[in-house]
Amino acid sequence: CEALESTLPASGALSPEEALPTESPKALQEQLDRTEQELAASRRALALLQGQLQSLGDPTALAERREALTERRETLRREYEALALALEELEGANRDLQSRFSPALGAEAAQLFARLTDGRYRRVLLDRDFTAQAEREGDPIPRSAVLLSQGAADQLYLAVRLAICHLVLPAEQAAPLVLDDALVSFDDRRMALALEVLREEAKNRQVLLFTCQERELLWARGREDVHVLSLAEERTNGKENEND
C-alpha cells in the first residue's frame, strides 16, 4: 500500500477506497471492449492512410512531375495565345479579302445573271458572307435569294459560281468545270439560256454537265461543239467488249 501511495502525486492523494474503480466488472469489460474496437478502427484507418501515402509515390518524384506539368502548361498557354493571335489576324485578312473580292465578284456575277435571265435582272449584290441579292430591271429594291423563285435563285447562284471561276480560275489557268444536275429546277427557257452560257464558257475551259434528264440531250442535237455521252450506253458497250 505504501509502495502504491509513493506513485501518487504529493498533493491531493487519493485514499485507497477512492483509488479503486467503482464500476462493476461487467461495466469495466464493456468499456474495455469498446476501447479495443476504437483501437482496431484507428489501426485500420492508419493502415488505409499509409497505403494511400505509399500509392502517391516518392515525394521527390512527385515534386519533379509537378514541375514538369507546370512547364508543359506554360508551353501550351503560349501556343494557345499564338494560335489565338494567328486566328485573329486571319479573320482580319479574310474580312479585307471579302471587302475587296465581293464588289468584283458582284459585278462579274451581274453580267452572267443578266445573260441567264435574258436581261430581267441587272445587278447582283453580295454581302461579306457572300449572301446574294438581285436587283430586277425597273425595280430599285434588291431581292434576297430566299425571296426569288427556285429557278431564279438557282440561276443566281449559278451566275455566282461561274463568276468565282472567272476570278479565281482565269482563262490562262482554265480548269474543268463540273456541274451535276445544276439545271434540274430550270424550266425549258431557263435551261436553254443556261446551256448557251455554258456553251460560251466551254470556249475557254472544259465544261462537264451531268444530268439525268432528256432535255439537255434534245437541246444538244445538231450542235457540233457539244458532245453527249450516255453512261448507260458506255456500260453496255463495255459489257459487249468484255464478252468479245
Side-chain angles (χ1 to χ4, degrees):
C1 183
E2 291 176 355
L4 290 174
E5 288 180 352
S6 65
T7 63
L8 296 175
S11 59
L14 298 176
S15 62
E17 293 78 7
E18 293 174 338
L20 295 176
T22 58
E23 293 85 351
S24 65
K26 182 179 179 181
L28 291 174
Q29 184 63 43
E30 292 176 353
Q31 184 177 359
L32 178 61
D33 293 340
R34 288 194 300 271
T35 303
E36 290 178 346
Q37 292 176 0
E38 293 175 358
L39 178 60
S42 298
R43 287 174 175 171
R44 289 193 298 270
L46 177 61
L48 179 62
L49 292 175
Q50 288 176 340
Q52 292 177 350
L53 183 61
Q54 291 178 357
S55 65
L56 292 177
D58 185 13
T60 303
L62 291 175
E64 292 177 354
R65 176 160 177 76
R66 181 182 63 181
E67 184 178 355
L69 290 175
T70 301
E71 293 178 357
R72 176 63 176 164
R73 182 185 63 182
E74 182 64 20
T75 301
L76 292 175
R77 184 188 63 80
R78 291 194 297 267
E79 291 179 357
Y80 173 80
E81 292 177 352
L83 289 174
L85 180 59
L87 182 60
E88 182 179 353
E89 293 296 329
L90 287 174
E91 290 177 350
N94 184 49
R95 288 191 297 268
D96 294 339
L97 178 62
Q98 289 177 349
S99 299
R100 295 193 303 267
F101 190 63
S102 293
L105 180 60
E108 184 69 21
Q111 296 180 10
L112 291 165
F113 193 44
R115 293 170 57 191
L116 288 170
T117 59
D118 201 15
R120 294 179 62 190
Y121 290 87
R122 60 186 180 89
R123 291 186 61 192
V124 172
L125 305 176
L126 294 172
D127 297 337
R128 288 186 175 181
D129 59 353
F130 298 113
T131 300
Q133 293 181 327
E135 189 173 304
R136 194 168 182 174
E137 184 69 30
D139 188 355
I141 301 176
R143 299 182 182 183
S144 173
V146 297
L147 300 179
L148 300 176
S149 65
Q150 183 64 48
D154 286 351
Q155 283 178 307
L156 176 58
Y157 281 108
L158 177 59
V160 173
R161 292 165 66 185
L162 293 176
I164 292 175
C165 289
H166 291 174
L167 296 178
V168 179
L169 301 172
E172 58 271 15
Q173 298 177 358
L177 178 62
V178 181
L179 301 171
D180 185 10
D181 261 338
L183 314 181
V184 67
S185 64
F186 290 9
D187 56 27
D188 291 344
R189 177 169 176 75
R190 285 192 174 103
M191 180 206 69
L193 291 171
L195 288 174
E196 286 294 346
V197 171
L198 294 177
R199 185 183 180 187
E200 186 69 21
E201 185 71 22
K203 295 179 180 179
N204 300 320
R205 72 180 77 247
Q206 185 181 29
V207 178
L208 302 176
L209 174 62
F210 292 90
T211 179
C212 59
Q213 303 182 78
E214 295 289 335
R215 300 184 306 164
E216 289 86 345
L217 176 61
L218 296 176
W219 177 89
R221 285 178 179 174
R223 292 176 170 86
E224 295 181 356
D225 57 343
V226 178
H227 304 281
V228 178
L229 291 177
S230 174
L231 298 182
E233 293 178 359
E234 291 296 323
R235 287 196 296 269
T236 302
N237 294 335
K239 291 181 179 179
E240 292 177 353
N241 293 334
E242 289 178 0
N243 295 332
D244 292 343

